[in-house]
Structure formats: structure tokens, C-alpha cells
């Protein structure tokens, strides 16, 4: 085991002071988890830390420990799920590997104890109680919105993130990691946040028979690098239409050369030209990241009506006033026509949304790929319009309420057709 990290750094001291304040405030105001909306859920998750303070002082900057040691708050995250709830879920059909992993740490290495096929609750409980195995429950949000209860204590160590360590995926010895920068004992009701890239390790302290925690990963694949990989191809494509230099041939035999140092100067000048163009136009298209985000997003949380999202209310007419709903679940992109395989494809407007995404396949990756052969995979849902519809769509997205006849389209028929198409997909409502 790594040695204890000794005294915390100044960041740690500030964090400890904040944690003490958080614990006192929490004890005075025993709030419970709120599932009324995504905003209220996140607010209660980090309570008593306010959302504004969290993103200003902690988000991707430094760790945050919120302690709720008060007996009244020990079950703060118990809410809707406990270990015993796995019994009911096993009856619904959980599978080893896909839904649950049973594993142990043997001589410093992970050993998987999975059986074949469906998970047996009795076998799962036996592995948990007798073999002291770890039960990993994958993507629990597929079944219900919940926060897992912390049972017992857990000892966390955080290590200073570096480029070298971030690439060290298969660490053979803990000595290569170095000493931890922070160490925490998490008790029931506690919350620990640490920024992206933080190397961490969790242990059950001596004398504690078991511990349970939930790991919530957010904002994956949303770095500036990811965004550039998505947006730069569009910038190059658009610029090549106007700049001859991007349409000239690369030097002969360039692709066969080992050393292309002579060509880097030319590439550098092209990149500077692209940067200048971006600075002047301020237009950078991103389509793939937007589609991926929407395709993998959970559908709106509608409470008891979550499975009955269908068009309702009055049909939109020319004189109707309409309003966009589920704004955070729909995006607009401009892309080459996907239904036209010609070499020269005109641009079209696409509206993608997550209203029809399936909770039961959320973030299951390869499972979705396998299901695609049966036609049941989660896919991108949306609508396709001519480029002339872009201004009208922006009008709907930027206004609280808009009259159909005031949409920026030439004919009344186009205005009604646009409104009807969005209404059919449950993206707008008639006021």
C-alpha cells in the first residue's frame, strides 16, 4: 500500500475548511435528494455547496469533500436503491459481463469471478458475503434514477495527475505512482468530487466488513481536443472552396517519405491561414459531437409519463402560437445531404433529439452495436429540412413563443409544414 501523504497542501487545507462548513450547514438543514428535475437532482447531490460556487471554485480545478456525518444525514443517498434492490433487478434479467461484474483483488491484480449467462441473486450474495467480492453494477441509470447508498466507510487516495501518469494505464507497482496528495475516509452520506484526470484508488479500511459507493463520470470526450477533431474537418472543407492553396497537390512522393520536415513549414502556414479565417468568420461547425451527445443522452425525465411521450394538444395552424419544449434535448446542425450520394451534395438542416432514446440501452456501447443487427439499437432521431428553413428554426429556438405565420419562410404552406413536423416529434407545443 502507498504511504500516507502526510500534511495536505494549501489546496487541501482550503478544502478541509470548506468541508467543515459544509458539514455544519448540512446538519442544520437535513435536505434530501430531489428528483423533480435534473437541476434539482444535481443541486441536492452537491448540497450544501451551491451550484455557482461548485463550478466557480471546484469544477476541473480541485477536489471537494462534502461530509454528512450527522446521524440524520447518514442515509442521505439511500433514496431509491440499496443492495437488496439487486434481488428484484436480477429477476428482470441481469447478465454477467453486460450488467454486473463480480471481481476481487488478488495479489494486487483484478480477478473476475463472473459466471455464464444470467445473474443469480443467491450466487451474487454468496460471492459478496463469503468471498468478499466486489459487485460492479453497470449503468444503473438504465433502470431508474437513483443514487447508491454509501454503506460503511471507504478510504480514498487521490494522486497528482501528470501527463506521464495519465498514460500509464497498466501500473505494475504502486511505488511508480508515488505518494497520494490527498487521503479521505468517506462515511455514509459523504460526497467526494475530483477533477478530470485525477488518479485515484479506493480501499475498505481495516475493521470495516464492506463498503459501497457509486461513481458518476461526467463530460467524457468533451475536451478542446475532441472538439477540434470534430470541427476542423468542416473548417478545412469550407475554406478549400475559396482558397486555391488547399486544392493544390501535395509534393510528389510525400506519403512515401519517412521525414517530411520540409513540408511542415507549408502545413504551418496553412494552419495559420485557417486560424485567421476562424478569427474573422467566427464560424466553427460541429456535427459529430452534437449527434453523439444527443444519441447517447437519456430521454427527458417525465416522471410517471416517461413512456407516453406522444404528440398532444391542438394541431399547429398558421395562426397558432408555438413554443419549443425540451430545449436541452434537441440540436440543429447544417450538414451535406445524407440522402444524396452524388459527389456534390447540397447542404441541409438537420434537427436531432433524444426524446425517443431508450433508457434501457443507455451508454451500453457494444450492446447497442450487437442490438443493431436486430434493429433495436439506440439511434439518432430527428428531422431533415432544406437549408432555407434554417432561419425559421433559429427563430423557434431563440424565442419563448412565436406565431407560425411569423416564421421566416416564404410560403404559408412551408410555415405550417415546419410547425407540424416539429409538433409530430413532440419538439413544440401549441400555446
Amino acid at each position: 500500500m502507498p504511504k500516507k501523504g502526510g500534511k495536505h497542501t494549501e489546496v487541501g487545507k482550503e478544502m478541509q475548511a470548506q468541508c467543515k462548513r459544509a458539514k455544519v450547514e448540512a446538519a442544520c438543514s437535513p435536505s434530501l435528494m430531489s428528483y423533480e428535475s435534473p437541476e434539482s437532482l444535481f443541486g441536492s447531490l452537491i448540497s450544501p455547496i451551491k451550484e455557482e460556487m461548485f463550478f466557480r471554485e471546484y469544477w476541473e480545478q480541485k477536489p471537494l469533500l462534502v461530509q454528512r456525518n450527522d446521524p440524520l444525514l447518514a442515509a442521505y443517498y439511500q433514496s431509491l436503491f440499496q443492495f437488496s434492490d439487486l434481488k428484484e433487478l436480477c429477476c428482470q434479467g441481469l447478465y454477467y459481463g453486460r450488467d454486473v461484474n463480480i471481481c476481487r483483488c488478488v495479489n494486487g491484480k483484478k480477478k473476475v469471478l463472473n459466471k455464464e449467462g444470467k445473474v443469480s441473486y443467491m450466487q451474487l450474495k454468496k460471492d459478496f458475503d463469503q468471498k468478499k467480492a466486489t459487485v460492479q453494477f453497470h449503468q444503473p441509470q438504465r433502470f431508474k434514477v437513483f443514487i447508491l447508498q454509501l454503506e460503511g466507510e471507504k478510504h480514498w487516495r487521490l494522486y497528482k495527475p501528470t501527463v506521464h501518469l495519465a498514460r500509464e494505464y497498466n501500473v505494475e507497482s504502486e511505488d511508480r505512482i508515488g505518494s497520494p496528495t490527498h487521503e479521505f475516509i468517506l462515511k455514509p452520506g459523504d460526497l467526494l468530487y475530483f477533477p478530470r484526470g485525477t488518479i485515484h484508488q479506493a480501499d475498505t479500511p481495516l475493521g470495516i466488513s464492506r463498503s459501497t459507493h457509486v461513481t458518476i463520470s461526467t463530460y467524457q470526450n468533451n475536451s478542446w481536443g475532441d472538439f477540434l477533431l470534430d470541427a476542423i474537418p468542416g473548417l478545412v472543407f469550407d475554406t478549400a472552396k475559396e482558397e486555391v492553396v488547399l486544392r493544390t497537390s501535395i509534393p510528389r512522393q510525400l506519403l512515401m517519405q519517412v521525414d517530411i520536415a520540409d513540408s511542415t513549414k507549408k502545413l504551418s502556414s496553412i494552419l495559420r491561414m485557417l486560424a485567421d479565417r476562424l478569427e474573422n468568420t467566427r464560424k466553427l461547425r460541429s456535427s459529430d459531437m452534437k449527434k453523439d451527445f444527443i444519441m447517447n443522452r437519456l430521454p427527458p425525465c417525465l416522471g410517471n409519463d416517461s413512456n407516453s411521450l406522444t404528440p398532444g394538444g391542438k394541431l399547429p395552424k398558421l395562426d397558432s402560437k408555438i413554443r419549443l419544449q425540451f430545449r436541452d434535448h434537441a440540436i440543429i446542425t447544417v450538414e451535406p445531404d445524407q440522402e444524396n450520394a452524388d459527389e456534390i451534395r447540397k447542404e441541409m438542416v438537420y434537427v436531432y433529439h433524444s426524446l425517443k432514446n431508450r433508457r434501457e440501452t443507455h451508454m451500453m456501447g457494444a450492446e447497442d452495436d450487437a442490438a443493431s443487427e436486430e434493429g433495436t439499437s439506440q439511434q439518432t432521431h430527428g428531422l431533415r429540412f432544406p437549408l432555407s428553413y434554417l432561419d425559421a428554426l433559429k427563430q423557434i429556438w431563440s424565442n419563448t413563443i412565436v406565431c407560425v405565420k411569423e416564421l421566416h419562410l416564404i410560403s404559408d404552406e412551408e410555415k405550417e409544414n415546419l410547425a407540424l413536423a416539429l409538433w409530430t416529434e413532440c419538439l413544440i407545443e401549441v400555446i
Side-chain angles (χ1 to χ4, degrees):
M1 300 297 291
K3 297 179 181 179
K4 299 211 174 213
K7 294 183 179 180
H8 293 299
T9 61
E10 290 303 315
V11 172
K13 293 178 180 178
E14 293 176 5
M15 181 183 60
Q16 285 182 321
Q18 177 63 61
C19 293
K20 290 180 180 179
R21 289 194 295 271
K23 182 171 67 173
V24 171
E25 293 176 24
C28 297
S29 178
S31 60
L32 299 177
M33 297 296 296
S34 171
Y35 296 89
E36 295 180 359
S37 68
E39 292 78 13
S40 66
L41 177 58
F42 180 74
S44 59
L45 178 69
I46 63 173
S47 177
I49 304 299
K50 301 301 181 183
E51 182 176 338
E52 180 182 355
M53 174 184 286
F54 174 77
F55 285 107
R56 183 180 68 245
E57 299 186 14
Y58 297 100
W59 173 254
E60 295 206 336
Q61 298 178 62
K62 59 184 179 181
L64 167 66
L65 173 62
V66 178
Q67 296 178 306
R68 301 189 179 94
N69 296 6
D70 189 283
L72 296 175
L73 299 175
Y76 188 90
Y77 292 121
Q78 184 173 354
S79 299
L80 298 177
F81 192 88
Q82 300 181 58
F83 183 83
S84 58
D85 290 336
L86 280 174
K87 183 175 184 179
E88 179 183 347
L89 292 177
C90 286
C91 295
Q92 296 180 21
L94 300 181
Y95 286 83
Y96 286 105
R98 185 191 73 179
D99 302 305
V100 173
N101 269 343
I102 310 298
C103 55
R104 289 190 63 196
C105 183
V106 180
N107 296 325
K109 294 185 178 180
K110 178 179 178 180
K111 182 178 181 180
V112 179
L113 307 178
N114 288 350
K115 304 295 189 295
E116 293 291 333
K118 288 186 177 181
V119 177
S120 164
Y121 176 73
M122 295 305 296
Q123 181 64 48
L124 183 150
K125 195 171 187 307
K126 180 180 178 181
D127 291 336
F128 182 75
D129 291 334
Q130 298 180 11
K131 297 182 179 180
K132 306 300 182 184
T134 296
V135 180
Q136 297 176 338
F137 186 26
H138 302 158
Q139 306 300 341
Q141 70 275 15
R142 292 175 292 146
F143 302 95
K144 59 176 68 174
V145 178
F146 69 88
I147 297 297
L148 203 60
Q149 179 188 14
L150 281 171
E151 298 174 347
E153 300 179 356
K154 185 171 285 288
H155 186 189
W156 284 85
R157 295 183 175 91
L158 304 185
Y159 301 84
K160 183 179 180 181
T162 65
V163 174
H164 171 71
L165 290 178
R167 294 176 179 171
E168 202 71 63
Y169 294 111
N170 297 313
V171 179
E172 298 175 359
S173 170
E174 290 181 346
D175 293 336
R176 294 173 61 186
I177 298 178
S179 299
T181 58
H182 300 288
E183 295 193 31
F184 311 94
I185 296 292
L186 291 190
K187 298 180 179 180
D190 288 354
L191 169 75
L192 173 62
Y193 162 80
F194 44 86
R196 175 203 306 271
T198 302
I199 299 172
H200 54 280
Q201 174 182 301
D203 300 302
T204 301
L206 293 176
I208 303 297
S209 60
R210 65 183 67 174
S211 63
T212 307
H213 75 277
V214 60
T215 300
I216 303 176
S217 300
T218 65
Y219 229 51
Q220 295 181 354
N221 302 322
N222 276 274
S223 68
W224 279 110
D226 296 313
F227 185 74
L228 286 174
L229 288 172
D230 179 40
I232 288 298
L235 176 64
V236 174
F237 181 82
D238 292 339
T239 306
K241 295 177 183 179
E242 304 175 11
E243 300 291 342
V244 177
V245 65
L246 287 177
R247 303 200 301 272
T248 57
S249 300
I250 61 176
R252 291 181 297 108
Q253 299 293 316
L254 176 64
L255 299 180
M256 305 300 296
Q257 297 175 9
V258 176
D259 185 1
I260 61 171
D262 293 340
S263 298
T264 56
K265 185 176 181 180
K266 181 67 173 180
L267 285 174
S268 297
S269 66
I270 291 176
L271 290 173
R272 280 191 288 270
M273 180 191 67
L274 290 173
D276 291 338
R277 178 183 176 87
L278 177 59
E279 184 75 22
N280 294 328
T281 62
R282 298 186 180 182
K283 291 182 179 179
L284 195 59
R285 266 193 275 164
S286 171
S287 296
D288 290 342
M289 282 186 71
K290 286 185 175 182
K291 286 189 290 186
D292 182 71
F293 172 71
I294 288 297
M295 182 177 69
N296 292 290
R297 184 163 200 181
L298 284 168
C301 182
L302 302 174
N304 295 330
D305 298 325
S306 57
N307 296 321
S308 59
L309 184 58
T310 56
K314 297 179 293 184
L315 283 168
K317 301 294 183 182
L318 190 62
D319 293 328
S320 299
K321 291 183 178 181
I322 59 174
R323 176 173 59 195
L324 180 69
Q325 56 181 359
F326 309 116
R327 181 182 300 274
D328 292 337
H329 290 266
I331 60 168
I332 303 173
T333 70
V334 177
E335 309 169 38
D337 189 354
Q338 299 174 9
E339 298 183 8
N340 189 339
D342 295 341
E343 183 177 348
I344 300 177
R345 296 184 295 173
K346 59 182 180 181
E347 291 185 325
M348 303 290 289
V349 181
Y350 289 86
V351 176
Y352 300 108
H353 64 82
S354 61
L355 307 188
K356 297 180 182 179
N357 288 357
R358 300 171 56 208
R359 178 178 293 274
E360 59 270 23
T361 60
H362 183 248
M363 298 300 291
M364 289 304 290
E367 290 299 318
D368 283 347
D369 298 335
S372 62
E373 299 178 2
E374 304 175 2
T376 59
S377 174
Q378 182 166 303
Q379 56 185 322
T380 306
H381 303 281
L383 299 166
R384 168 177 169 270
F385 300 102
L387 190 59
S388 59
Y389 280 58
L390 181 58
D391 286 343
L393 287 165
K394 288 182 177 179
Q395 198 178 350
I396 296 173
W397 255 250
S398 61
N399 287 278
T400 303
I401 298 176
V402 62
C403 186
V404 175
K405 64 182 178 183
E406 295 176 356
L407 292 175
H408 296 164
L409 288 167
I410 296 177
S411 68
D412 291 344
E413 182 181 5
E414 288 178 322
K415 297 174 183 179
E416 285 190 316
N417 287 342
L418 173 59
L420 182 60
L422 297 174
W423 178 83
T424 302
E425 291 289 299
C426 302
L427 291 170
I428 63 170
E429 58 180 338
V430 179
I431 306 302

